[in-house]
Every structure is written in C-alpha cells, then in structure tokens.
Amino acid sequence: MIELNNVSKWYNDYQVLKDCTLTVERGEIVVICGPSGSGKSTLIKTVNALEPFQEGSIRVHGMEVGAPDTDLPALRARVGMVFQSFELFPHMTILQNVMIGQRVVLSRSSSDAEAQARRLLDRVGMADHAHKYPAQLSGGQQQRVAIARALAMDPMAILFDEPTSALDPEMVSEVLDVMTSLAKEGMTMMVVTHEMGFARRVATRMVFIDRGEIIENCPTEEFFGGTRNPRTEAFLGKILNH
Amino acid sequence: MNWSWSGFFGYLVNPFILGGVWTTIWLTVVSLVAGLALGFVIALMRRSSSRPVAMLAGFYVWLFRGTPLLVQLIIIYTALPVLGIRLSVVESALIGLALNEAAYLAEIIRAGIEAVPQGQVRAGRAIGMKERDIMRHIVMPQAFKIIIPPLGNSVNGLLKTTSVTSVISMEELLRRTQVLIQEKFMVLELFAVAAIYYLAMTTLWDLVQRRIEAHFGKSSAIGAAEKR
C-alpha cells in the first residue's frame, strides 16, 4: 500500500535521508524510531508529500508521490496525518475542525459531515466537547480531536508524527489508547514515536533509523527479542534503561 | 483675536460643512475598500514564489510608501493629462488614496498572513485542502484577527489623510472649511469645527473597531477564560 524505494533527500549539501526503502502493507502498524535528528519525521512527511525528496520513488495506493502531475491534495485526502503539535484550527470549534475537510475537500453535505464528525468525536471520547474551541482543551484532548479530524476523511492509512511527544505524561495514555483501538480495527498506520511500550504491544513491524539511514526493519518480536545492529542497541539502551 | 461662539455653533450645523463631512466619509470608505482589495493582491504577489512578481509588488510598496501622497495626487491630477489620461477631481482623489493606502495595507496583510504558523498550513494540506482553500478557510480568518488592530489604525489615519485631497480641490471637509474661511475669515472657529468632526469620525471608528475586535477575539477569549 505504501512503498518507498531508495528515497534520498538533501537540505542543500546535507543528506537527511539516505536510500530509504520501506513497504507498508494494508493493516500493518509500522513504528519508526530513532534518535532526534535522524530523519524519522522527515521520512513520514515524504509519504504525503509535505516534504519533497530528490531521489527514489514513493508509491501510495498506486499513486506516484514524486511525479509532477500527481494530484497532491487528492493523495493527501487519502492519507491522514497527526502532528506532534496537534495543529487544530484555533478559530473553529471542535466540531468544525472535524467537518472542514469533509466539507471543503470531499464536498460532503453539512448534515453528512456533521454526522460523521459527531460519530468520530464519540469514538475518540470527545463528543461532549464538540462546541468548544481548541484553546479550551488539554493537549491530550486536542490530539484525540486531531485523530478524529484525520479519520473524518476516511483515510486508507494514517501517519503519526510523534503524536505524544508534546503531551504531559498523564495525557499520553489517552492518546495511545485511541491509537491502539484504531490499530485493532485494522487501520494502516505509520507511527514515529519513542513510546516503546506502545510499539511492543501494537506494532507489527519496527523500523529504526539513524542519520537518515534505515538500520533496522523487522517484525516487532524480532526487534525486541532478537539480535540487533549495535546502533539500534545503543539507541534502545538509552531510551529503555531509565 | 476674536472668538465668535455664534459663528462656531453656526458652522457646527452648517449644511456645506456637513456635506464635506459626508464626502470625507465616503472617500475613506471607497478608498479603503479599493485599497484592501489591491493591498491583498499585492500582499499575495509579495509572497509569490516567482521572483519578478514578488519584486514588482515590492517595487510598488517601495514607491507608494516612499513618496508623499500630496505628490502622488498632484501627479495623478496634473501630470497624467500630459500622457492623455484625464481624470476628474473625484477620480484622481479616489485613485490616489486607494493606491497609496494599498501600499500600507499590503504590508499589514502580509505581516498578518506570515504570523499564522506554518503548521496550520501543513495541517490544511494534510487533510487534502488546496492552497486556495487553505488561504480562505485557515490562513485568512486567523490572519484577519492579527490584522484588525493595525488595520484600524490605518483607517483612523486614512480618515484624516483624505484631507490631503484638498490640494486638488476635492471638496471634502478640510477643503470646504478652507473655502468658508476665505469668505468669512473665522479661522479658529472653522478649524475648530473641522477638528471636532474629524474627532467625531475617528471616535466612531474606534467604537466600530472595538466591536470587530471583540467579535473576532471570541475563540481565544473563551479559551483563556474557560480553560479548566
């Protein structure tokens, strides 16, 4: 469903992604981890073309992401994204946040969009907050709304870019719970995160990336049980042993 | 120097002066609307990825902010006819004010647009919105809130700047005041009347602006007041 082939990206002379190759099948939950600055966020942002890349190819559901004639808005409407900083629209209510894409991009009727929005807000446990503005919500609540906003477009996959990194510790689990239930329902997900507990429980496959290179790409059990590359070992040692 | 109270109060309700007040108001409104439209286009041009387009817009702003309105008006009214472009006083005044105002508003609008975090644009793209829709539904509503205070300031300035059009004999408040002064020699009384009307108009605008700010400040005000 999502195929990256030898993707490379440079910022001027600095290479942020080196020959990254990765396939995500339908229903897979792929967790991407790595040190900060390793290129993991950049990597998933190339999938919905929020970040351009210079070499290689990315195919999403048969669409060639890098091709100049690809309808990027249409592609992005099919691939949801959840950001580290939530990025809800502050001038709209929660309900409007979840409706806007359906109205403007999918041209759904107001009543259809509202029904879908309310159903999804209920699913992420935010139905009672539909009338509020984002500034009235906690970080965990905002992130759950952001997930509902992504789901509202009926995406075939969702990209999560460090969805819990900006949250206070007590709010992390409410967001991970929503993501876990999505995973159980068969949503295809690419998740950049440091939450190794979540990864161990939910991920079908683990990717470790360091200095723009994919070092490890293996099933979850193997990643946490088997023998690992020394660089992976060093990274896990740092984030697991405290 | 003599001060005549009867003269002062007489001119305060003088139809000729009130006509000038009315002209000042519609001059302001029309040149503001035209200036906003043009200013918006110039702001977008300045942000264009095409260098010539951005430079053209930059040149416009540089030229119209860097020269006095007085000079611009005189050129439009007296120099353009040499090139075969003949404009009436009203046309010259409106065009001069709008062109000049657009240069200032373009900078205000551009600053407002640039103050909206880039993450908001990315969030709009991520749900598949086209750039135009992102501008319309996400960036502009947020930029507008940022723009209102400097925009209000600019309108306040514009109300008084319209008086400059008196040099090309546009019959707005100041010009009519001066006409009466030349007839009646009640210099202080008439200028006091004019000042009072300018004050009344800017005060009225202040009230309107506060209303608008309160309206658009809603989402953040509620957030601040009710956050758990």
Side-chain angles (χ1 to χ4, degrees), chain A residues 129-140:
Chain A
H129 303 275
H131 61 284
K132 291 188 182 170
Y133 284 91
Q136 292 169 264
L137 304 182
S138 71

Side-chain angles (χ1 to χ4, degrees), chain B residues 13 19 65 95 164 167 183 185 188 201:
Chain B
V13 289
R65 290 207 313 178
I95 290 172
V164 177
V167 297
E183 269 175 40
F185 304 110
L188 269 186
M201 288 186 282

